[in-house]
Amino acid sequence: MGFTSAWAYAEHLTEVIKKDQEEVLKIYSNLRVREGKADSCSLQSLHSTIGGKNNIFVDSIRTEFVNPNDFIAQWLKGLCDAYGEKVFDGPNGKYQYIILEMMKYPICQKYINTFLERNFYRNLKERKRYKPNENLWEVWFGSNPLFWGIMISPAYRQEKWTNDVSEIRRAKYEYWTIGHILSTGIVSPGNPQPYTFSDLQAFINFYEQIVMRISRSDYEKQIMAKYFEFLKRHENVTEVPLLIPEFRFSKEDQAHKYRLDFTILNPYTQKLIGFEISPQSTHMSVSGITSKTQKQMNEDIRLQWEKEMAKRNEFYKQYGITTITFTDGMLRDIDVCFDKVKEYLEQRGAKKVNFEEQVQRMQSILKMCS
């Protein structure tokens, strides 16, 4: 199989389809006449009938397909779920849904399967790409009153930001990366115009002049500054995951429940990591210590601890985000803390072995020995 790309293989499947096209179209036309739909017998109608149900028979938006057989199997399941029990009355007797009628002919089965396989390879990235959970299609970050949203495919509808669902899987950028932000910008509630960035420096200026300045934590500011340095040195900066500041639990609501200091949503590894900067002075302090009894102090500390753990548990339950905490000891060396952040920024999924490349390699090796 000496094909250099998925698209080349899809074009090969086009030639395979053409070989049976005349006979399959004849069967399709006869079936349409039997239904009393003689006006729907064209090749365009045939292909529309097969391909037009892709987003109905399978959940293309949310499903990450393993291979073409996985896609076809789920498509067939959707076909059977939707029409398997239905029988229609026509001018020439009872009949089933047109595709089920076609499946009674082996040549049509082969044609439909090949047609779907071609669709898989023509949309290979969209079919195989990582599909995030729906509650991460929009991410809101920042503290009141200044906060913003990141949409995978931004659309402003009915005075509210949402996603153009049909475009989510077609996005040319990896989700939640610098490339994502430079492509879509960020949004703010009630404003129909996104806040866009012409280049990396424009994004850094926004982050530096607005996000960093409203932070009350010197530790946060130091980590942000190191993130900017990291971005400026990176060879493929558009691929770097965004270091999201103040990830909001309750999205765009003013009365948000929790925030995480920093969050990385890595689309390459599907690891969702939050970072909490938690020195004892801000997260476990007890006020009025001189006048409190030991029992009351212990009760206050217990309540603080429960609040912190509830926050972590809720983020994990809602989003699958695991939280790493930087405590006083770690914060003495901010470089050590950023090294941990950088570890998750740099992680990439295992490089996939390309089937066509390996076949060509094997053929080259065999020629050496012949």
Side-chain angles (χ1 to χ4, degrees):
M1 182 178 172
F3 301 101
T4 57
S5 68
W7 187 260
Y9 184 58
E11 292 309 295
H12 161 72
L13 294 177
T14 295
E15 297 305 313
V16 173
I17 287 171
K18 285 180 179 178
K19 292 176 183 178
D20 294 329
Q21 209 161 70
E22 186 176 346
E23 188 173 349
V24 170
L25 183 57
K26 187 182 297 183
I27 294 170
Y28 175 76
S29 299
N30 290 336
L31 292 171
R32 282 302 197 193
V33 169
R34 197 175 76 181
E35 292 177 356
K37 299 177 181 178
D39 58 336
S40 302
C41 299
S42 66
L43 182 62
Q44 181 180 0
S45 172
L46 168 63
H47 287 178
S48 178
T49 298
I50 301 170
K53 292 291 196 296
N54 283 346
N55 292 330
I56 296 174
F57 292 161
V58 297
D59 188 348
S60 297
I61 304 300
R62 297 171 179 82
T63 306
E64 181 180 355
F65 300 101
V66 177
N67 52 43
N69 287 341
D70 181 31
F71 173 66
I72 294 169
Q74 295 195 47
W75 191 93
L76 293 174
K77 180 181 182 299
L79 166 67
C80 294
D81 288 347
Y83 292 103
E85 303 296 324
K86 294 182 179 180
V87 177
F88 305 95
D89 290 316
N92 301 303
K94 294 184 180 297
Y95 64 91
Q96 291 178 281
Y97 179 62
I98 184 68
I99 295 179
L100 292 175
E101 291 287 354
M102 290 179 68
M103 287 294 193
K104 296 173 184 177
Y105 299 85
I107 192 171
C108 291
Q109 279 192 34
K110 175 189 170 187
Y111 190 92
I112 291 169
N113 286 345
T114 306
F115 186 94
L116 294 172
E117 184 180 9
R118 182 181 68 169
N119 178 275
F120 178 86
Y121 283 107
R122 279 183 169 177
N123 301 277
L124 187 62
K125 182 179 180 181
E126 293 87 344
R127 297 290 183 227
K128 290 180 70 67
R129 80 179 301 171
Y130 165 55
K131 307 296 197 306
N133 289 334
E134 191 167 342
N135 59 9
L136 285 172
W137 289 0
E138 57 182 272
V139 168
W140 292 87
F141 69 96
S143 54
N144 294 335
L146 296 176
F147 59 97
W148 303 269
I150 304 168
M151 307 287 162
I152 292 179
S153 54
Y156 194 73
R157 295 169 179 164
Q158 298 179 340
E159 299 184 347
K160 186 176 181 180
W161 282 104
T162 184
N163 282 281
D164 183 346
V165 175
S166 65
E167 293 299 318
I168 286 178
R169 64 189 176 90
R170 296 189 179 94
K172 302 300 182 185
Y173 40 81
E174 298 295 342
Y175 309 139
W176 316 303
T177 60
I178 295 298
H180 179 165
I181 298 303
L182 294 183
S183 296
T184 66
I186 59 177
V187 302
S188 58
N191 187 341
Q193 297 300 320
Y195 194 107
T196 57
F197 309 100
S198 57
D199 53 27
L200 175 65
Q201 188 57 53
F203 166 73
I204 290 177
N205 290 345
F206 163 81
Y207 210 132
E208 203 169 37
Q209 297 299 318
I210 299 179
V211 179
M212 183 187 286
R213 287 184 66 184
I214 63 176
S215 172
R216 297 178 181 178
S217 167
D218 287 337
Y219 296 122
E220 287 183 4
K221 292 177 181 179
Q222 291 177 61
I223 287 177
M224 290 182 201
K226 291 189 175 297
Y227 180 56
F228 304 150
E229 293 172 10
F230 174 76
L231 292 178
K232 290 175 182 178
R233 293 194 306 266
H234 205 281
E235 292 182 359
N236 300 303
V237 69
T238 57
E239 298 178 2
V240 176
L242 177 66
L243 184 61
I244 304 171
E246 303 293 347
F247 181 102
R248 297 166 70 89
F249 183 84
S250 50
K251 298 186 179 178
E252 79 273 25
D253 299 332
Q254 281 279 356
H256 63 280
K257 190 174 182 181
Y258 303 120
R259 297 195 309 268
L260 284 175
D261 292 332
F262 293 109
T263 306
I264 295 172
L265 308 176
N266 191 318
Y268 310 102
T269 62
Q270 290 92 64
K271 287 184 179 178
L272 314 179
I273 303 294
F275 298 93
E276 276 288 274
I277 297 174
S278 299
Q280 184 272 339
S281 59
T282 60
H283 282 67
M284 295 298 291
S285 62
V286 179
S287 59
I289 191 169
T290 56
S291 61
K292 288 184 182 254
T293 64
Q294 184 67 43
K295 182 177 180 181
Q296 184 62 49
M297 286 175 58
N298 289 339
E299 178 63 14
D300 288 349
I301 291 172
R302 182 187 69 79
L303 291 174
Q304 286 275 46
W305 177 253
E306 287 190 356
K307 179 182 177 182
E308 287 299 312
M309 291 307 101
K311 175 179 177 177
R312 287 156 173 73
N313 291 340
E314 286 288 310
F315 268 106
Y316 185 80
K317 180 180 178 181
Q318 179 77 4
Y319 300 105
I321 295 174
T322 301
T323 305
I324 293 173
T325 303
F326 296 144
T327 58
D328 290 272
M330 299 175 71
L331 290 167
R332 292 192 186 103
D333 190 339
I334 205 70
D335 287 329
V336 171
C337 296
F338 187 73
D339 282 345
K340 176 58 67 173
V341 173
K342 187 168 69 172
E343 176 186 331
Y344 289 96
L345 290 170
E346 292 180 331
Q347 285 182 0
R348 300 292 182 265
K351 185 177 180 180
K352 295 197 171 41
V353 177
N354 184 280
F355 177 78
E356 292 88 359
E357 287 178 1
Q358 296 308 308
V359 170
Q360 291 176 357
R361 181 187 177 198
M362 183 185 68
Q363 289 171 346
S364 298
I365 291 171
L366 291 175
K367 287 179 181 178
M368 290 171 59
C369 301
S370 60

